[in-house]
Amino acid sequence: MGGGQPFAGWRPWQSSHALLVIPIALIVVITVVDILVPADVHLGPLLVIAPAITASFAGPRLTGAIGLLAVAAQAYIGWHVGLIFSRNTVVQVVALAVLSSLIVFFCVVREGRERTLDQVRSVAEAAQHVLLWPIPDRIGPLRTACLYLAAEDEAEIGGDLYAATRTEGGTRVMIGDVRGKGLAAIGEAALLLGAFREAAHQHTSLPALADALDRSVDRYQAEFSEPEGEVGERFVTALLLEIPDGDHVTRMTTCGHPPPLLLSPGDSVTVPSLHPAPPLGLGLTRQAHTLDVFTFEVGDTLILYTDGVIEARDQAGAFYPFAERAAQWAECNPKALLQHIRHDLLAHAGGRLGDDAALIAIHRPPTHHRDRPHGKIFHTDGWRHGSGIEPRG
C-alpha cells in the first residue's frame, strides 16, 4: 500500500490492544456492581467472561494478563466486603484462576495450530505458483490476465489449470479442468501442464498437440493407482488456442471443453463454433481432433473459462448468466474485466462457488503499423454476427 492510504500503517496488534477496552470495562463494571448489590448476590464468577472474550482476538499473553486482572478483581471484592479469607471467596478466586489458566492454555494450542496452518498455506501457495505459473500481463502483442477461484475454503490448488507459451510467430494457450479430486487431480493437472509446455514447441498443429496430450494423460492414468476407497472416472477437458502475431485468424481445438467468449467493442458477445472431441484420458480409440478457426481482431477480448463459472448457481438455483454479464465490461482491460467478473460471480453464488473456476482474458490491442481488417468472414463455418450472443456456426 502507498503511504497516502489511511490504513497503511495499521497492524493486527493495534486492533487487539484497542479491543482490550471491552474485557477491562467488563471487569470494572462487574466489580462495581458486585460491591453495590446486596451481600447475598454474588456476581464475581461472571469475571471469567473477560479472559474468555480476550481469547477471541488476542494471544496467550494478553489473555493471561486479563485473567490475572479478573482474579485480582475477585480478590478485591472479597477484601472489600471483609470476607477475603472466607471459604466462598477462596473457592471463587481459585476457580477463576483455574479457568483463566485453561483459557490461556487453549490460546497457546490455537496459536500453534495457526502457525502450522500458515506453514501449510505457504507451502500450498508455493505449489500453486509452481503448478500454475502466472501468465504475464503481456505475451507478444497480446495483453492478458488470469484468475483462479478455489471452491474449498483456504484452498490454493485444485483441478482447474491454464498455461500459455510463446511459439514462433504466435502464442499458444491451454485451459483445462481435471475431473477428479485429491492428489490424483493435482498430479494429473501438473502432468498436463508440463506436457503442454514441452509439446507446444514440438507439434506444428493443434490437433497433433491434442493427440500428444491425450497420450500423456493415458500413460499417467495407466501408471497411477487409485488410493483405496477412491473410485470414479477421471478425465480432463481442455481447450487449446493458437493466436498468431500477424494474423487475425485464430485456431482452436477443444477436447470436451466449453468454447470461449469473444467480446468486441460495442458490447458484442459471440461464441465461436467448434467441433469438440472427447476429453483427454478416456482411453477411447484415437479420434481426429478438429481444427476450428475464427477471427480475433484488434480491440477484441477472448475469455477462456472452466465450467465452474457457468455452473455457479444463486439461491434460486439459476445459473450465472456469464455471457450477458461479461458483455457489460467488454471495454475494460483484461485485469479489470476479470475483477468485475470475480465480484459479480461471487455475489451471484452467495460468496462461495460449488466448483473451482479459472478464467483467462486475452486482449488484442491496437498497433500503429496494423489496421483493423475489413470484413467479418474468416471463419470456416459462418459469418461473424452483430451484437448479442451468436454462435459462429
Side-chain angles (χ1 to χ4, degrees):
M1 285 187 174
Q5 300 208 13
F7 299 105
W10 188 255
R11 295 291 184 270
W13 67 267
Q14 293 175 325
S15 176
S16 299
H17 279 67
L19 290 174
L20 283 176
V21 173
I22 298 174
I24 292 174
L26 282 173
I27 292 174
V28 172
V29 170
I30 292 173
T31 302
V32 171
V33 173
D34 197 5
I35 292 173
L36 296 178
V37 296
D40 59 334
V41 178
H42 302 284
L43 300 179
L46 296 178
L47 290 168
V48 74
I49 297 174
I53 291 176
T54 307
S56 66
F57 61 82
R61 291 185 178 180
L62 287 178
T63 302
I66 293 297
L68 288 175
L69 186 60
V71 171
Q74 179 68 72
Y76 174 77
I77 294 172
W79 173 83
H80 188 272
V81 297
L83 299 173
I84 184 62
F85 296 113
S86 68
R87 179 182 301 177
N88 185 49
T89 300
V90 171
V91 168
Q92 289 182 5
V93 169
V94 172
L96 184 56
V98 171
L99 290 175
S100 298
S101 300
L102 285 174
I103 293 172
V104 171
F105 171 75
F106 286 119
C107 276
V108 173
V109 173
R110 184 195 64 195
E111 282 204 342
R113 290 182 176 178
E114 287 178 350
R115 284 193 296 269
T116 301
L117 181 58
D118 288 340
Q119 291 175 351
V120 171
R121 287 174 180 167
S122 65
V123 171
E125 185 176 354
Q128 174 84 349
H129 287 300
V130 171
L131 183 62
L132 290 179
W133 295 352
I135 296 178
D137 294 339
R138 282 185 175 271
I139 304 179
L142 306 173
R143 292 182 179 178
T144 62
C146 55
L147 175 65
Y148 193 101
L149 296 173
E152 296 294 332
D153 292 337
E154 309 297 343
E156 292 286 347
I157 302 175
D160 290 4
L161 55 98
Y162 51 76
T165 185
R166 288 286 295 165
T167 58
E168 185 176 353
T171 301
R172 282 183 170 178
V173 184
M174 176 184 69
I175 189 167
D177 185 358
V178 177
R179 300 296 177 164
K181 296 181 179 180
L183 294 177
I186 296 172
E188 203 157 343
L191 170 114
L192 186 60
L193 287 168
F196 169 78
R197 289 166 184 146
E198 181 64 25
H201 301 278
Q202 298 177 350
H203 299 277
T204 57
S205 71
L206 289 186
L209 174 58
D211 288 339
L213 296 179
D214 198 8
R215 290 192 295 271
S216 295
V217 175
D218 282 346
R219 284 194 297 270
Y220 171 83
Q221 293 187 353
E223 297 173 359
F224 183 86
S225 59
E226 286 279 3
E228 186 176 353
E230 290 187 16
V231 294
E233 190 176 41
R234 299 202 319 272
F235 58 86
V236 185
T237 66
L239 178 71
L240 304 173
L241 279 182
E242 185 174 73
I243 308 172
D245 293 343
D247 193 344
H248 294 272
V249 178
T250 294
R251 291 174 279 276
M252 172 176 60
T253 292
T254 180
C255 304
H257 201 83
L261 291 185
L262 182 61
L263 308 183
S264 301
D267 298 339
S268 172
V269 182
T270 54
V271 181
S273 62
L274 45 78
H275 302 84
L280 307 175
L282 288 179
L284 302 175
T285 303
R286 292 280 177 258
Q287 299 185 19
H289 292 88
T290 304
L291 183 68
D292 296 297
V293 297
F294 62 96
T295 55
F296 180 32
E297 301 175 351
V298 170
D300 289 349
T301 299
L302 269 173
I303 306 180
L304 284 61
Y305 56 93
T306 58
D307 58 12
V309 177
I310 57 176
E311 292 180 359
R313 297 174 181 263
D314 61 12
Q315 293 182 347
F319 289 111
Y320 179 63
F322 182 40
E324 176 186 339
R325 299 292 179 84
Q328 304 176 56
W329 308 296
E331 303 291 342
C332 296
N333 64 64
K335 185 172 293 186
L337 171 64
L338 292 190
Q339 287 303 314
H340 283 302
I341 293 174
R342 177 184 183 276
H343 293 306
D344 192 55
L345 176 62
L346 291 176
H348 177 86
R352 182 174 181 177
L353 299 179
D355 191 11
D356 293 346
L359 300 100
I360 306 174
I362 306 170
H363 178 71
R364 189 188 289 277
T367 57
H368 297 294
H369 62 280
R370 185 189 301 145
D371 295 328
R372 187 182 180 93
H374 298 288
K376 297 295 184 182
I377 196 166
F378 278 101
H379 191 267
T380 55
D381 297 316
W383 294 72
R384 176 168 180 170
H385 302 280
S387 61
I389 306 172
E390 297 286 348
R392 295 184 178 186

